[in-house]
Amino acid sequence: ANLIPDERPNNNNGANTGSKAWFRLGLKSPLVLHALVFASSVHLDFLRWSKFFPDSPHALSHKLTVMHKVKELISNNSKLYFEDLIVAILVLACHEEMDTSPMTEAEKKHWPFNDPLGRGKWLNMYSGVRVVPEHRKALVDVVNLGGGLESIKLYGLADLVVA
């Protein structure tokens, strides 16, 4: 099952509807742009070293910008940008705490399943995400203050909030 509907490319240029919508929002919103660049930096580090570095110098600069802009929007009580806040909180939450260390031989011995596609769709990275309760609460609060899931119009975002 795909988390984002229509996740696969659906035309000749290789872009999918979800990517187009999110990057289009990133071009309009500095908050979303920095959130996407932060996530991309973490992904690039993971591709290079198979390790997670959310506080590497390049990623950290964007992470701090996102945190500053989130604080700014919240202090201005701006409902107008609630989808931007949701994207930012999701990105920060999904890249905050991860355990991407390989299994030890003892763990492998007792592991019932050896996933042949463990690297597909970033499973090797995102399967180690630890949910931080404060992030979950912030996400729920922002969604509720914005009018609930029905108020989310950005393609695929409501699906990710529920997941």
Side-chain angles (χ1 to χ4, degrees):
N2 293 331
L3 281 180
I4 300 176
D6 192 26
E7 184 178 346
R8 295 194 178 107
N10 56 11
N11 54 29
N12 291 334
N13 69 7
N16 65 49
T17 309
S19 293
K20 284 181 184 177
W22 286 53
F23 280 97
R24 198 173 292 129
L25 180 62
L27 292 174
K28 295 177 187 173
S29 166
L31 172 61
V32 174
L33 176 68
H34 283 282
L36 293 174
V37 173
F38 165 66
S40 298
S41 297
V42 172
H43 285 203
L44 187 58
D45 286 344
F46 192 80
L47 280 173
R48 287 181 179 151
W49 298 292
S50 296
K51 290 190 179 181
F52 179 69
F53 300 109
D55 296 329
S56 68
H58 184 72
L60 184 60
S61 68
H62 292 286
K63 180 180 178 180
L64 293 174
T65 301
V66 171
M67 292 168 69
H68 174 73
K69 291 190 176 300
V70 164
K71 185 177 178 183
E72 199 176 278
L73 279 180
I74 290 173
S75 66
N76 293 339
N77 197 18
S78 183
K79 262 181 89 170
L80 199 64
Y81 301 101
F82 94 105
E83 286 185 344
D84 301 36
L85 283 172
I86 293 170
V87 169
I89 292 168
L90 276 173
V91 167
L92 290 174
C94 290
H95 298 88
E96 185 65 27
E97 287 192 33
M98 290 189 186
D99 178 12
T100 57
S101 57
M103 279 194 240
T104 65
E105 288 304 316
E107 289 172 326
K108 286 180 184 176
K109 186 177 179 181
H110 298 290
W111 190 251
F113 180 66
N114 184 12
D115 187 0
L117 301 174
R119 292 176 183 247
K121 295 188 181 184
W122 296 96
L123 287 176
N124 55 336
M125 182 172 162
Y126 286 112
S127 62
V129 172
R130 292 192 181 106
V131 177
V132 177
E134 293 82 6
H135 291 163
R136 181 180 290 164
K137 182 181 179 336
L139 182 61
V140 169
D141 289 348
V142 169
V143 170
N144 287 336
L145 289 171
L149 287 172
E150 301 80 23
S151 300
I152 298 174
K153 303 297 180 221
L154 182 63
Y155 186 86
L157 184 57
D159 298 314
L160 285 176
V161 169
V162 172

